[in-house]
Amino acid sequence: MKKIEIGKKLKPEQVYSVALDPNIKVELDPSAMEEIIKSRKRVDAVLNSNKAVYGINTGFGSLSDVKIEKEDLKQLQVNLIRSHCAGVGKALDSKYVRAMMLLRAHNISLGFSGVRTELIASLIFFLNNDIIPLIPEKGSVGASGDLAPLAHLTLCLMGEGDVVYKGVIKKSHEVIKQLGGKILELEAKEGLALINGTQFMASFAALGLIHAESLLKHADIISALTIDGVKGTFAPFDIRISKIRPHQGQLVVSQNISELSKGSKISASHKECNRVQDPYSLRCIPQVHGAVRDAISYLRKVVEVEINSVTDNPLVFDDCIISGGNFHGEPIALALDFSAIAMSEIGSISERRVDKILTPVFNGGLPAYLARNSGLNSGLMIAQYTSAALVNENKVLSYPSSVDSIPTSNNKEDHVSMGATGARKFIQVLDNVETILAIELMAAVEACEQRKPLETSNALSKVIDIVRAEVSSLSEDRVISGDINKIKQLISSNKILSEVNVE
């Protein structure tokens, strides 16, 4: 059985695996136990000294100056969680909730949060039994951590919230009892430790990162197929061009498409044609796809740091407890906004390539909209409209949420990241891009098939075969929304990447 240990360095791929596969078991690295226990003892020492320390025996936010008596500290934590459960909107998909639980457990396992091991055990119990807390998607401003979503998560650990278990919505205390688990009773500091953090944003970023990297590989493959379909030239992908402007992403894309096109009979058939240059959407693929790759590589760097960081407050060190701002989401908020903008460009240039495939003046002599018996049939005319609509939506979604800030907590929290909004927007952009690429793939396959008996390269022929196993050729007009969805699912499954190798 596969397992992943928390309390030591996690990789984005591990977060992705646990999020999507409930069969992967999560365990605490035994070597982390000592620091967790030491950290809790330092909190207990503060409680015994009766010294006022934020987050341990005081109120929260703008109420931090209010000292709480020792006999009220447990109730303080319960009140904190209940009051912060102010999320609204539809419930998060289970994969994001699983990622949140993993990252929250990992965060407090690093030994700076001052919590008991019972909190970590409770999160692991939920993960390993695939108990999914119902967490509303909206409500976090991404600054004092993702307070509302993490509070809804914690409420379920306390047995008070609703969860999904085996596809049925139930009360969390019923499921915990059914499985022989323990309802979590919070001690001093522990409620705050569970909700001060960036795990909502980080879960979206980690899962979105893996999705984006997959889409970028697909974009190179699909665009290579488009170039052949419209009888474009592969000359701009000569690696010598990119070597004198050596951005890493550009180099990779040029190499990918050069390799994908090797052996194409379509390409060889028009080497001496009169066309001098292709439109930018074809000719500048290395420069555009490559720049997006470099943007997503920045997201990877940020995610790798963020998922292995301690982001709650206050933080417990060897000699003191310090209230700081590691919960502020700015680092990840900026990266998410940048990534959404970048991935929108993949959709934008893809839609332009679809237009070229469907336009006779650009597509090397194929019929308008690739329609056989054009006029009676409209072919893929409206597929381009759909692509254009999604590109427009991505432009709206690409407005950076991180440039906004609305003060909270009586102006004590006077600058917030709005990274949670950026996280949700990024995922929607990726979904739209996946559909846009599916439309381009559908059109590119159709175009290449209309070049027969000329054949594309062996690598790209594999792609055509994979698509045709799901969607038949467009011999006459039919409802194509189902075709688009089938091809989108092919992209999502990574079946093409398993057959065609690209970096």
Side-chain angles (χ1 to χ4, degrees), residues 43-117:
V43 171
D44 290 338
V46 169
L47 295 173
N48 292 331
S49 72
N50 207 33
K51 178 183 177 183
V53 177
Y54 174 72
I56 295 177
N57 51 13
T58 70
F60 308 108
S62 64
L63 302 175
S64 59
D65 293 333
V66 180
K67 176 77 161 49
I68 308 298
E69 296 302 320
K70 195 169 185 177
E71 62 268 20
D72 294 326
L73 291 181
K74 282 189 177 182
Q75 190 61 46
L76 173 69
Q77 299 303 308
V78 172
N79 290 348
L80 171 71
I81 301 306
R82 289 173 179 165
S83 68
H84 282 55
C85 287
V88 297
K90 66 181 182 181
L92 289 179
D93 187 286
S94 63
K95 62 187 176 185
Y96 299 112
V97 179
R98 287 185 58 81
M100 284 175 65
M101 290 192 289
L102 175 71
L103 293 177
R104 194 68 235 164
H106 179 58
N107 178 91
I108 60 178
S109 297
L110 297 176
F112 296 90
S113 299
V115 301
R116 295 167 301 138
T117 57

Side-chain angles (χ1 to χ4, degrees), residues 222 225 437-446 463 467 487 491 496:
I222 293 165
L225 202 59
L437 289 173
I439 290 170
E440 183 186 355
L441 180 53
M442 178 171 62
V445 166
E446 191 70 31
V463 179
V467 172
I487 297 174
I491 294 173
I496 291 171

Side-chain angles (χ1 to χ4, degrees), residues 151-298:
H152 282 277
L153 168 57
T154 304
L155 191 73
C156 293
L157 303 180
M158 294 162 52
E160 295 187 20
D162 291 332
V163 299
V164 176
Y165 180 64
K166 294 188 181 299
V168 179
I169 297 177
K170 295 184 175 183
K171 296 297 181 183
S172 61
H173 67 87
E174 295 175 357
V175 177
I176 294 170
K177 183 178 179 181
Q178 176 186 338
L179 297 174
K182 293 182 179 179
I183 290 174
L184 181 63
E185 294 185 14
L186 298 172
E187 299 285 349
K189 170 72 167 72
E190 293 181 333
L192 192 60
L194 284 169
I195 67 172
N196 260 186
T198 60
Q199 282 66 47
F200 177 96
M201 291 176 278
S203 67
F204 276 70
L207 271 58
L209 167 68
I210 304 301
H211 191 188
E213 290 176 338
S214 168
L215 290 179
L216 289 171
K217 293 180 179 181
H218 280 95
D220 286 359
I221 294 168
I222 293 165
S223 61
L225 202 59
T226 293
I227 294 166
D228 235 7
V230 300
K231 285 191 171 181
T233 176
F234 289 100
F237 305 94
D238 189 314
I239 198 65
R240 291 173 294 181
I241 296 174
S242 292
K243 280 183 175 179
I244 57 174
R245 195 194 191 192
H247 293 290
Q248 182 60 32
Q250 180 174 330
L251 287 163
V252 170
V253 174
S254 290
Q255 188 65 40
N256 278 343
I257 296 182
S258 292
E259 290 295 322
L260 288 165
S261 64
K262 282 183 178 178
S264 169
K265 301 296 191 298
I266 299 175
S267 180
S269 72
H270 59 90
K271 280 192 174 180
E272 305 303 323
C273 71
N274 294 326
R275 188 190 297 183
V276 177
Q277 288 182 330
D278 288 331
Y280 285 3
S281 58
L282 303 176
R283 194 186 347 151
C284 298
I285 289 170
Q287 291 74 23
V288 177
H289 286 201
V292 177
R293 279 176 173 262
D294 291 341
I296 298 303
S297 71
Y298 172 68

Side-chain angles (χ1 to χ4, degrees), residues 357-360 363 367-371 374 377-382 474:
I357 297 172
L358 304 183
T359 305
N363 70 14
Y369 312 116
L370 303 182
S374 182
N377 290 307
S378 296
L380 297 178
M381 178 195 293
I382 306 304
L474 194 66

